[in-house]
Every structure is written in structure tokens, then in C-alpha cells.
Amino acid sequence: MAVKLFPLLLVICFAKCSQGKHLLRFLTFCTRNLKGDGQNDIEFDGDQLLHTDPFTDQIVPRLPEFKQQWLPDPGVSHDSYVSYGTCHYNIERVPGFYNYPPENIAIPTSQIYPRDEMEIGVPNTLICFINNFHPPMLDITWTRNGQPVDQADVSQTQYYSNKDFSFYMASYLDFTPQADDIYSCSVGHIGLAEPLTKFWEVKDIDHQLMETAVCVCGVILGLIGVVTGIWFIAKANKSCQA
């Protein structure tokens, strides 16, 4: 992960409708010296409707299957081009005007889980969900049993914004569970001294059932011990009273 922090500029525009019950938000961000690195979004009530490709300014719907029912204004592409240009223009000038204030750093959290109920030998997808971070610059790596996975099996979402203007995103790994395999998702970020790594182990059903049975037996034995202890205490009290 690059250790140099590139200043970030957020351009936020709000529009309220229906007596303030809904929020339409236009968000553009860019980074210094990284051409094509940035994002232009249109969000409604916290859900991304679309983003535009930073190289072509073409519209990319959040849910492509809905694009036949909802066609955004063709002018969005031109507006995106202008927004990116404004962002890159300002990022070279605004920090100096404000005496180069330090950038807000929010440290990410993450969790890893399968998309579907896990079955040995049945293709599935692992999801690494990263949340509450700023700036939106992450380095995500996956491993299987300590070895890097095939990048062809990895995909990820755009950055999405939270209400407090921190970000969240998800990385996906297509895999076929095999017993005792251990997967990891490591997240690098400017706010972390070292990558944040979470692990997920493939356990077959028999193993899971055994663990559950052991847990249940432990609980039952604990309850028996409590009841037995109460019985002996009650008996001892009666002996003392006699």
C-alpha cells in the first residue's frame, strides 16, 4: 500500500424533496497525481443510483437490470466531466488557501462471511465487507491457506458513502469450499499501522455438528452442576436447622 497521503477533495451537493423526507446526493472525489482515480456518484436516500467511469465519463447504473426501467438524464455524462475537472482544479488550490489542513482519517473495520450457506464442494462467494473508513483508498488482498488467490476470482464494488461521509465497500472472492481451507482478507489503509486481516475457515458439517454437540453437552453439564450444588446447599441448611 502506498504510504504517501494524497489530498482528497469532496464536492457535495444536496437536494431535498417531499418535505425533507428524502435526500438526493451528488458526490465527486478525486486524488492528486492519480489520473483516473476518483468517483462521481448520484445517491438517493443512501443508495447509489449510478456512478460514472472516471476515464470515459460513461454512466454505470448501480443495478444494470433496472436500466430499462430508469434511464438517467444523458447530461449526467457531461456533468460528470465538469465535476472531475472542477475537483482536479480545486485540489491543487484549495488546500493552500486553507493552509493545508490535515486530512480526516477514519480507520476501517471489516468482516468476512459467505454469500450462501456453505457446502463442501459447492461453489460459493466469500464477501469481505469494509466499513467506516476515510479517505477512500484501500489495498485489499485475499489468501487461501496463506497463498495469494487467483485475481480472476476477485471483484469489488465501488466506494459507497455513509451519512457521516465515511465510506464502505465490499470485495468478493469466488471459491469452492474444501474442508479445513483457511481464507483471509487483508485491508491496507493509511490509517492502519499494519493491514487489518480477518480469517474464515471452511468446516464440514460433521465438524460443525460435533462442535455444537460439545457445546450443548457443556451447557447441560453446567446446569446439572448448578442444580446439584443448590441441592447440597439446601440439604446442608436443613441439617443445620435440625
Side-chain angles (χ1 to χ4, degrees):
M1 175 184 175
V3 296
K4 182 177 179 182
L5 177 62
F6 296 89
L8 180 89
L9 177 68
L10 291 176
V11 180
I12 310 297
C13 178
F14 296 91
K16 294 186 177 180
C17 60
S18 299
Q19 300 179 348
K21 294 182 179 179
H22 299 284
L23 177 65
L24 181 66
R25 180 160 70 174
F26 301 80
L27 184 148
T28 300
F29 68 84
C30 60
T31 53
R32 181 183 291 175
N33 300 329
L34 289 178
K35 184 179 180 181
D37 188 75
Q39 196 167 311
N40 186 71
D41 298 344
I42 299 179
E43 302 174 355
F44 183 72
D45 285 351
D47 292 323
Q48 186 191 73
L49 299 178
L50 59 86
H51 70 273
T52 53
D53 186 287
F55 292 100
T56 65
D57 297 314
Q58 294 300 306
I59 298 170
V60 182
R62 172 68 179 90
L63 297 173
E65 59 268 30
F66 292 156
K67 66 182 180 180
Q68 298 302 323
Q69 287 74 34
W70 178 71
L71 295 177
D73 189 326
V76 170
S77 293
H78 178 264
D79 292 343
S80 174
Y81 174 80
V82 173
S83 295
Y84 279 127
T86 301
C87 188
H88 283 289
Y89 178 86
N90 286 336
I91 202 171
E92 298 294 338
R93 295 162 178 79
V94 172
F97 180 81
Y98 288 101
N99 197 27
Y100 298 97
E103 186 169 28
N104 291 329
I105 305 295
I107 299 175
T109 60
S110 69
Q111 55 182 315
I112 181 173
Y113 51 90
R115 182 191 62 193
D116 303 316
E117 184 176 351
M118 195 276 298
E119 295 183 46
I120 299 295
V122 178
N124 205 329
T125 299
L126 274 181
I127 301 172
C128 185
F129 179 71
I130 308 105
N131 197 12
N132 299 319
F133 60 90
H134 189 279
M137 298 171 64
L138 295 178
D139 182 20
I140 304 172
T141 56
W142 288 89
T143 67
R144 173 180 175 268
N145 298 330
Q147 300 299 315
V149 302
D150 187 343
Q151 288 303 303
D153 297 327
V154 178
S155 60
Q156 64 186 42
T157 67
Q158 296 288 311
Y159 295 109
Y160 302 131
S161 63
N162 294 311
K163 290 183 178 180
D164 62 358
F165 301 115
S166 65
F167 291 83
Y168 67 95
M169 71 175 304
S171 179
Y172 303 101
L173 172 65
D174 294 329
F175 78 118
T176 300
Q178 300 298 332
D180 300 324
D181 277 352
I182 299 177
Y183 290 86
S184 75
C185 173
S186 295
V187 178
H189 186 260
I190 191 67
L192 296 168
E194 58 184 27
L196 173 64
T197 302
K198 293 295 177 70
F199 295 91
W200 188 81
E201 182 178 358
V202 178
K203 296 182 179 180
D204 59 37
I205 296 177
D206 291 339
H207 191 180
Q208 294 180 33
L209 289 175
M210 183 179 296
E211 288 187 347
T212 302
V214 170
C215 182
V216 171
C217 288
V219 172
I220 292 174
L221 289 175
L223 291 174
I224 291 174
V226 170
V227 172
T228 302
I230 293 175
W231 182 81
F232 277 116
I233 291 173
K235 185 176 181 179
N237 288 335
K238 288 182 179 180
S239 298
C240 291
Q241 292 175 1

